[in-house]
Amino acid sequence: MLRRHLLKLSAGVPAVFSALSSLGAFGRQDETTRRPIVVSTWDHGQAANEAAWKILVNNGRAVDSAEAGVRVTEADPSVSTVGFGGFPDRDGKVTLDACIQDETGNCGSVAFLQHVKHPVSVARKVMEETPHVMLVGEGALQFALEQGFKKENLLTEKARKAWDAWLEKAEYKPVINIENHDTIGLLALDAQGRMGGACTTSGAAFKMHGRVGDSPLIGAGLFVDGEVGAACATGMGELVIKTVGSHLVVELMYQGHSPRSACEQAVRRIAAKLPDYKDFQVGFLALNRKGQYGAFCIQPGFTYAVRSGELNRLSRSDSLL
Ligand code: GLY
């Protein structure tokens, strides 16, 4: 009896799979592989991709390109959501979160780090020079200084003025699609087929002192599986942490979803589980081992940058709302 049921069930699997495919559940999967390729979040991803591309086009390693790419955004004082120039917390302190992961799953992370302009490079040192994955706060700073990083003031005049203005009401209200940029997440596939990714942010503007978002959390803000693909998240970190968003996207790609479809399913998971999702933005970006990429977000307005061969463009993600 059981055997008959199992046989019936397995006979139905190809039909169900083909029906789902024709409905577009898994997206279009063509067999061509596009590499090297780099994708990253928001308008500021274009400058980051350019730096990453220089490494990829010279046969460099994906993880190196990911670090080099996001360092551009970390150093840019005009970007108020990442690194130097990032808006401070409600106490006027700039606190940074970042992580990095290579094609083998090796990873490093720092959170609640102050005074160091390139948290992604400290995260890389955590990955390569310690037996740990994550260092936070004073411990992360102490480690960074031991590794030769410089202690700097990261609060720019523009960010200080924004904080002063915020203090007048001191109302904590996340701004959706703040100036078309937010966390930078960057995913790369190199010429040899290795994947890597990095993610870095100053977190939610005027957050509570000590708040850490999704960006330094492997599986939430970033996840790389060298056999499957990579994903990163941007937007309101609390929603991403609650659903372990980037790992979910990669897991969905492992199950056969295209990058675009995996991102959409992860956004739909947030909508199904978190009743206040309409008040926030979350965007996912994914890249698989074939160099196929895709994105999806809650609110319209999330952009992502793509660089591969002749391709160099900024695209607008589809959204749930
Ligand atoms: N996604 C950045 C943060 O919530 O901190």
Side-chain angles (χ1 to χ4, degrees):
M1 182 73 157
L2 179 65
R3 192 165 166 270
R4 209 167 60 233
H5 272 307
L6 285 175
L7 281 174
K8 242 167 112 183
L9 202 65
S10 61
V13 166
V16 171
F17 191 86
S18 134
L20 283 172
S21 291
S22 67
L23 287 172
F26 303 113
R28 221 184 95 242
Q29 300 276 349
D30 64 47
E31 290 310 312
T32 50
T33 297
R34 184 198 288 274
R35 69 184 196 219
I37 179 168
V38 53
V39 298
S40 61
T41 55
W42 300 106
D43 297 10
H44 56 204
Q46 287 181 296
N49 284 2
E50 221 34 63
W53 184 249
K54 283 192 186 122
I55 291 176
L56 292 173
V57 86
N58 285 308
N59 208 20
R61 189 172 165 213
V63 72
D64 295 332
S65 75
E67 180 186 358
V70 302
R71 279 176 62 96
V72 171
T73 329
E74 286 181 338
D76 184 347
S78 73
V79 177
S80 59
T81 50
V82 180
F84 177 55
F87 282 179
D89 64 17
R90 54 167 66 172
D91 295 352
K93 311 256 194 274
V94 180
T95 74
L96 305 177
D97 301 334
C99 71
I100 190 161
Q101 193 165 26
D102 72 13
E103 72 279 3
T104 67
N106 219 5
C107 50
S109 155
V110 289
F112 191 49
L113 173 63
Q114 297 182 59
H115 310 301
V116 180
K117 196 184 259 177
H118 290 297
V120 71
S121 296
V122 185
R124 176 124 194 208
K125 290 284 184 194
V126 173
M127 172 169 94
E128 290 178 345
E129 307 293 336
T130 80
H132 307 303
V133 165
M134 189 168 194
L135 292 178
V136 307
E138 277 300 315
L141 176 60
Q142 189 187 326
F143 171 73
L145 298 178
E146 281 164 15
Q147 290 292 320
F149 290 86
K150 241 182 27 206
K151 195 168 175 178
E152 296 177 68
N153 172 29
L154 303 181
L155 187 67
T156 59
E157 200 43 31
K158 175 184 160 197
R160 198 191 54 73
K161 281 188 180 147
W163 176 56
D164 278 348
W166 176 82
L167 281 174
E168 281 169 23
K169 280 196 183 163
E171 185 185 31
Y172 183 58
K173 239 193 198 165
V175 182
I176 290 169
N177 297 339
I178 181 166
E179 295 170 31
N180 260 359
H181 52 71
D182 194 288
T183 305
I184 182 144
L186 184 149
L187 312 170
L189 173 66
D190 68 32
Q192 293 180 46
R194 295 169 298 198
M195 302 207 76
C199 185
T200 174
T201 189
S202 50
F206 320 123
K207 62 198 174 187
M208 286 176 71
H209 187 61
R211 181 263 189 191
V212 168
D214 60 313
S215 304
L217 303 179
I218 297 294
L222 175 76
F223 194 66
V224 179
D225 182 329
E227 306 295 314
V228 180
C232 60
T234 183
M236 201 61 199
E238 280 72 5
L239 281 71
V240 178
I241 295 170
K242 286 176 189 173
T243 52
V244 200
S246 292
H247 182 266
L248 176 60
V249 172
V250 173
E251 190 57 25
L252 287 162
M253 290 197 287
Y254 175 69
Q255 289 170 19
H257 284 265
S258 68
R260 157 72 172 68
S261 170
C263 291
E264 178 173 347
Q265 294 311 313
V267 167
R268 290 190 183 280
R269 182 76 59 92
I270 288 176
K273 289 205 171 280
L274 307 173
D276 58 349
Y277 74 95
K278 285 188 181 156
D279 298 338
F280 302 105
Q281 173 66 300
V282 168
F284 290 110
L285 176 63
L287 175 69
N288 69 15
R289 277 214 63 189
K290 289 180 180 165
Q292 297 164 329
Y293 58 87
F296 203 79
C297 57
I298 298 178
Q299 316 275 348
F302 169 43
T303 57
Y304 61 97
V306 183
R307 182 86 166 90
S308 179
E310 296 304 298
L311 192 65
N312 186 5
R313 71 168 173 231
L314 188 68
S315 297
R316 191 164 279 269
S317 163
D318 290 337
S319 60
L320 189 63
L321 301 178

